[in-house]
Amino acid sequence: MPLPLYLLALAVFAMGTSEFMLAGLLPDIASDLDVTVGTAGTLTSAFAVGMMVGAPLMAALARDWPRRSSLLWFVLVFAAAHAVGALTTSYPVLFATRVVAALANAGFLAVALTAAATLVPPDRKGRALAVLLSGTTVATIAGVPGGSVLGTLLGWRATFWAVAALCLPAALGILKGIPAGRDEDEATGRPALRAELAQLTRRRLILVMLLGALVNAATFASFTFLAPVVTESAGLGEWWISVALVLFGAGSFVGVTVAGRLSDRRPGSVIAVGGPLLLIGWPALALLADEPVALFILVFVQGVLSFALGGTLITRVLYEAAGAPTMAGSYATAALNVGAALGPVIAAATLDTEAGNLGPLWASGLLVAVALLMAAVVAGSYGSDGGKS
């Protein structure tokens, strides 16, 4: 894999740390800013909404910019938003910084996904995407738990400062590793924006985007509220939150690796095997949440399954949107973040029910069940395993 791909993954690591880190910081943020944990959980939704709206918007605005310039500006705006977030004492201001950071993240990821696909041969998009998304999975393994530990020791604001600092070497890597100017393929033979947007009328593309949104909604519904499950349902101390996050992150790394190997050639197998297992896993986690060993094993397994399916589906979006070379990455980003926005909102609504802290886990199971119903339609559209149209 080319070096620029790994430099993009470094920036994705910083952004992935920010996107996932609130799972371990929500109780402290809620206490410091005098809001409920459910309200604090909407910070995750704010970020996801910014990603969802920002992906196509930023990609459309940046399609005429050189890739290095757009990637660099997105990283710098992202860092500035975190600096403001670390300084504010106002929840609305913090909420606004999450939206701004998400817009920058969305623009970066939309451009980076498209760039990654052009750095490798056409039949290796899945492998390239796995390298790029490894930045997110490493964030869940190291960045997010590290942020949780840092937040426990120095307060949640220190974690925001750390994310801002991580953006600086990422920006330097973009300056050194991404060529200046415009690629030849960007300058010639590119479809008009209207033609690229018209790809969204394709049924198969919409089906895969919706399926990816549902799977990601299930992932974020439970991941966002994992901390209360560890400390209250399992009765463990705050330090065990970091253990759970590390296990989920390790699982996600395995899942993305599996997706990278199989999503180009055998997407149907990943969906057919991983989908039912993911469906079983969320209710099982709810039922066994008071058993720490079972809890941690299932957290790892759900990380594997969630990211194997998610990685496969985002790769399929890139294949299905091949007729939109500058916008395909934004379609994938928007689809996944529709789920990331809805998941925490749905999960938060379950916290005041009889299910309590386990409500998000049951909600995840329901979301995956809906996804599996749609998967039958998608599988029929793809055929058995080939599925390359």
Side-chain angles (χ1 to χ4, degrees), residues 50-76:
M51 290 279 287
M52 177 180 63
V53 175
L57 177 62
M58 295 296 104
L61 290 175
R63 73 193 301 267
D64 293 324
W65 303 346
R67 284 177 181 156
R68 186 171 78 172
S69 297
S70 57
L71 291 170
L72 181 60
W73 276 110
F74 287 139
V75 167
L76 293 178

Side-chain angles (χ1 to χ4, degrees), residues 347-358:
T350 69
L351 294 175
D352 294 329
T353 67
E354 292 183 2
N357 294 323
L358 301 179

